[in-house]
């Protein structure tokens, strides 16, 4: 059989692929930052035993790990209640935090010696300063690990964009465009 580069020529001749690649980069970068922000802030707050209602919030997080609302109620909330259909926010906000990842980061934060935070508190740092100056620099390995997990998840995600952005083709990530190309090539074959 002869080697053909026709498929590559077709893909790279379209400006949709470059736009889809840019959309994928945007969704991956913004989604990873949002995920890390919410994971770190919630994990840090729940790692403090002095937090009022801590056990209630931990139980709610654990409950959400076992039971979810489902796809149809999630779609209704995103599309109708929040009115985010055909926006980037529709693929960024629904998965803004992973309960499982947040619990692991919380346990990591609890493993940081309390004496470091107490000494920073004596020096005049508030909780936000302690998080920014003490906890986050010590947590770079766990943050890099979960940042990579979140980034790969956003890069590979296509289903959210398919259901939440059907009319916004200019906002589709690369994965949805490639899916459409494969479906169209199979239909024409």
């Amino acid at each position: 059989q002869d080697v053909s580069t026709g498929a590559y020529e077709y893909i790279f001749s379209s400006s949709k692929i470059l736009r889809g690649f840019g959309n994928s980069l945007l969704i991956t970068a913004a989604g990873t930052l949002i995920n890390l922000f919410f994971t770190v802030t919630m994990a840090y707050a729940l790692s403090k035993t002095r937090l009022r209602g801590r056990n209630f919030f931990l139980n709610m997080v654990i409950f959400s790990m076992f039971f979810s609302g489902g796809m149809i109620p999630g779609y209704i909330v995103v599309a109708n209640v929040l009115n985010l259909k055909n926006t980037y926010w529709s693929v960024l906000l629904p998965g803004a935090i992973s309960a499982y990842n947040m619990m692991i980061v919380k346990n990591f934060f609890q493993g940081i010696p309390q004496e470091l935070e107490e000494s920073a508190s004596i020096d005049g740092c508030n909780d936000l300063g302690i998080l920014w100056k003490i906890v986050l620099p010590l947590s770079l390995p766990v943050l890099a690990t979960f940042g990579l997990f979140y980034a790969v998840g956003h890069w590979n995600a296509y289903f959210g964009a398919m259901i939440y952005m059907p009319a916004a083709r200019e906002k589709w990530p690369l994965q949805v465009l490639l899916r459409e190309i494969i479906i169209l090539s199979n239909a024409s074959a």
Side-chain angles (χ1 to χ4, degrees):
Q1 275 208 353
D2 294 335
V3 176
S4 172
T5 60
Y8 291 106
E9 292 171 10
Y10 171 75
I11 287 175
F12 291 116
S13 67
S14 172
S15 65
K16 292 190 295 188
I17 295 298
L18 286 176
R19 187 175 40 215
F21 186 73
N23 290 338
S24 288
L25 285 176
L26 173 73
I27 290 169
T28 300
T32 302
L33 290 175
I34 289 169
N35 290 137
L36 284 176
F37 174 78
F38 284 114
T39 299
V40 165
T41 53
M42 188 168 184
Y44 182 68
L46 291 177
S47 70
K48 303 297 162 208
T49 54
R50 67 181 185 271
L51 178 69
R52 286 189 189 148
R54 175 179 180 259
N55 289 334
F56 171 76
F57 291 117
L58 281 173
N59 287 331
M60 293 299 290
V61 169
I62 292 169
F63 182 82
S64 73
M65 289 171 61
F66 294 114
F67 304 102
S68 71
M71 187 170 62
I72 294 172
Y75 178 83
I76 291 170
V77 167
V78 170
N80 298 338
V81 177
L82 298 175
N83 202 21
L84 296 176
K85 196 169 180 185
N86 296 316
T87 66
Y88 288 118
W89 293 111
S90 64
V91 294
L92 296 175
L93 289 182
I97 190 168
S98 164
Y100 181 76
N101 294 347
M102 190 278 304
M103 293 295 284
I104 294 174
V105 174
K106 177 195 79 72
N107 289 336
F108 182 86
F109 286 167
Q110 285 178 327
I112 294 175
Q114 189 68 28
E115 292 79 13
L116 291 173
E117 296 182 32
E118 289 172 0
S119 65
S121 178
I122 291 171
D123 288 340
C125 257
N126 58 10
D127 281 334
L128 191 58
I130 292 171
L131 173 65
W132 186 253
K133 294 177 183 174
I134 306 292
V135 175
L136 288 182
L138 293 173
S139 304
L140 289 180
V142 75
L143 296 179
T145 301
F146 285 108
L148 183 63
F149 287 164
Y150 284 132
V152 169
H154 282 291
W155 182 263
N156 290 330
Y158 71 94
F159 188 69
M162 263 179 22
I163 64 171
Y164 294 130
M165 296 193 293
R169 296 174 66 87
E170 71 280 356
K171 295 179 183 176
W172 279 1
L174 182 63
Q175 295 75 7
V176 177
L177 289 172
L178 291 176
R179 178 187 173 277
E180 182 181 62
I181 289 170
I182 290 171
I183 288 173
L184 290 175
S185 68
N186 286 339
S188 65

